[in-house]
Amino acid sequence: QKEVEQNSGPLSVPEGAIASLNCTYSDRVSQSFFWYRQYSGKSPELIMSIYSNGDKEDGRFTAQLNKASQYVSLLIRDSQPSDSATYLCAALGRGFQKLVFGTGTRLLVSP
Amino acid sequence: SAVISQKPSRDICQRGTSLTIQCQVDSQVTMMFWYRQQPGQSLTLIATANQGSEATYESGFVIDKFPISRPNLTFSTLTVSNMSPEDSSIYLCSVEEGAGSSYNEQFFGPGTRLTVL
């Protein structure tokens, strides 16, 4: 199993809907997780970090961490076409400081 | 978060030449990282650059090919040596904020898009 896994997508949702992006992880990563948004041709932008079991909300974004099932999710409420991007899930490697990235999920929000 | 700049933003280079990429941060940071993102791929860590010590390279990356300097807490360079078309990629530097805490958030520079002919 890869350390961090994501479905590559694309995930297509209509404008105004909730987009749900999922990521699973292995025992080889620690309990610190990050969601990055990357627009085409741009560098990744950190949008959420989560360290504890449960939900963390920031505006239209909610990150969810379930340690028992080893998955972390990002929900985007009221999706907008401007949310169309690739979303990268990352985890802090266990025992060291580097981030391990998933392959990213491409989100398409149609007007 | 810290403001990070990279130079050059893009370059087209000939096979066999070398390119040095600069990363400048507007505040002092302990840990800086260099990543590569090949077309359509996710990010791959090349090395970790801490001031005052040798860079730590990931498996598959060697100092002779990717020498790194870290002369102070706000600046680092990555050199891509003896380039081949396979080195065509986006090169990104990142910095970690919250060092010493549990946060370990990393923020990325704008990237350098390298094309090798």
Side-chain angles (χ1 to χ4, degrees), chain A residues 32 34 36 38 40-46 48-49 51 56 88 92 97-104, chain B residues 31 33 35 37 40-43 45 48 58 90 92 96 102-111 113:
Chain A
S32 298
F34 309 87
Y36 288 84
Q38 186 173 26
S40 180
K42 301 295 185 182
S43 64
E45 173 191 8
L46 179 66
M48 290 287 285
S49 56
Y51 312 98
K56 179 182 177 183
L88 299 165
L92 195 65
Q97 299 296 100
K98 69 177 186 179
L99 286 182
V100 180
F101 283 85
T103 53
Chain B
M31 300 190 73
F33 305 86
Y35 289 83
Q37 188 173 31
Q41 303 295 313
S42 189
L43 282 76
L45 181 64
T48 302
E58 297 300 305
I90 297 173
L92 296 145
E96 182 183 89
S102 62
Y103 299 110
N104 304 113
E105 293 181 338
Q106 283 190 32
F107 297 89
F108 286 85
R113 183 179 294 271

Side-chain angles (χ1 to χ4, degrees), chain A residues 80-110:
Chain A
Q80 301 296 308
S82 58
D83 294 325
S84 298
T86 296
Y87 289 80
L88 299 165
C89 173
L92 195 65
R94 188 177 291 281
F96 44 81
Q97 299 296 100
K98 69 177 186 179
L99 286 182
V100 180
F101 283 85
T103 53
T105 298
R106 186 177 171 210
L107 173 66
L108 298 175
V109 181
S110 54

Side-chain angles (χ1 to χ4, degrees), chain A residues 19-103:
Chain A
S20 177
L21 302 155
N22 300 309
C23 171
T24 59
Y25 61 90
S26 75
D27 291 334
R28 289 182 285 161
V29 300
S30 71
Q31 303 295 296
S32 298
F33 300 92
F34 309 87
W35 282 100
Y36 288 84
R37 177 176 61 196
Q38 186 173 26
Y39 292 113
S40 180
K42 301 295 185 182
S43 64
E45 173 191 8
L46 179 66
I47 54 173
M48 290 287 285
S49 56
I50 186 165
Y51 312 98
S52 304
N53 236 6
D55 295 0
K56 179 182 177 183
E57 187 174 320
D58 183 1
R60 295 187 297 114
F61 299 102
T62 298
Q64 300 175 318
L65 175 58
N66 184 320
K67 294 183 181 181
S69 301
Q70 294 187 286
Y71 78 79
V72 58
S73 300
L74 179 70
L75 302 179
I76 306 175
R77 290 182 299 281
D78 188 24
S79 295
Q80 301 296 308
S82 58
D83 294 325
S84 298
T86 296
Y87 289 80
L88 299 165
C89 173
L92 195 65
R94 188 177 291 281
F96 44 81
Q97 299 296 100
K98 69 177 186 179
L99 286 182
V100 180
F101 283 85
T103 53

Side-chain angles (χ1 to χ4, degrees), chain B residues 86-104:
Chain B
E86 292 70 35
D87 294 319
S88 297
S89 187
I90 297 173
Y91 291 85
L92 296 145
C93 71
S94 74
V95 303
E96 182 183 89
E97 296 195 6
S101 72
S102 62
Y103 299 110
N104 304 113

